[in-house]
Amino acid sequence: MKVLAPAKINIYLEIIRKRDDGYHELKTLMIPIDLCDEILITEQKQGISLRTKGYEGNKEENLVYKAASLFFEISGIKKGVSIELTKHIPVGAGLGGGSSDAA
């Protein structure tokens, strides 16, 4: 399965308050833009393999890897997945690429 993960820009962002868990409550307006990462997902017998193009960070810390790992942990599914992530959204640019990829 091939999916596109769109970038977004924040048109409005207001920090409401800091929560007890350290995160913040926000009021925001986000607009998707025509910049997308590409994700190719294929079933494999077990485990998670992640190949990336345009990202050279630690793969186990990548949000895509973390989301897949959590999915298998919670669902109890014993199969695995191979994920090929092609980054077009700049890492750390505030465009939501990592979050979109994980979703």
Side-chain angles (χ1 to χ4, degrees):
M1 169 174 56
K2 183 176 181 178
V3 294
L4 299 178
K8 56 81 180 163
I9 56 173
N10 288 317
I11 301 298
Y12 175 80
L13 177 64
E14 177 184 350
I15 298 172
I16 305 298
R17 70 175 184 93
K18 187 173 182 178
R19 302 184 327 199
D20 292 338
D21 62 6
Y23 289 96
H24 295 85
E25 284 188 20
L26 304 175
K27 185 184 290 187
T28 185
L29 175 61
M30 293 182 266
I31 306 293
I33 59 175
D34 287 337
L35 180 62
C36 296
D37 289 344
E38 299 173 30
I39 305 170
L40 180 62
I41 302 168
T42 54
E43 184 180 328
Q44 62 184 30
K45 289 185 179 183
Q46 64 182 10
I48 301 166
S49 63
L50 174 62
R51 293 183 311 281
T52 59
K53 297 177 185 174
Y55 171 80
E56 300 303 324
N58 182 336
K59 290 182 174 60
E60 285 77 23
E61 292 181 14
N62 185 290
L63 292 179
V64 170
Y65 185 92
K66 287 181 177 184
S69 180
L70 187 59
F71 170 81
F72 286 110
E73 180 183 323
I74 291 173
S75 70
I77 294 172
K78 302 298 181 201
K79 297 256 182 185
V81 68
S82 172
I83 305 167
E84 184 176 318
L85 170 63
T86 303
K87 292 291 294 172
H88 299 289
I89 302 168
V91 176
L95 298 175
S99 298
S100 186
D101 295 343

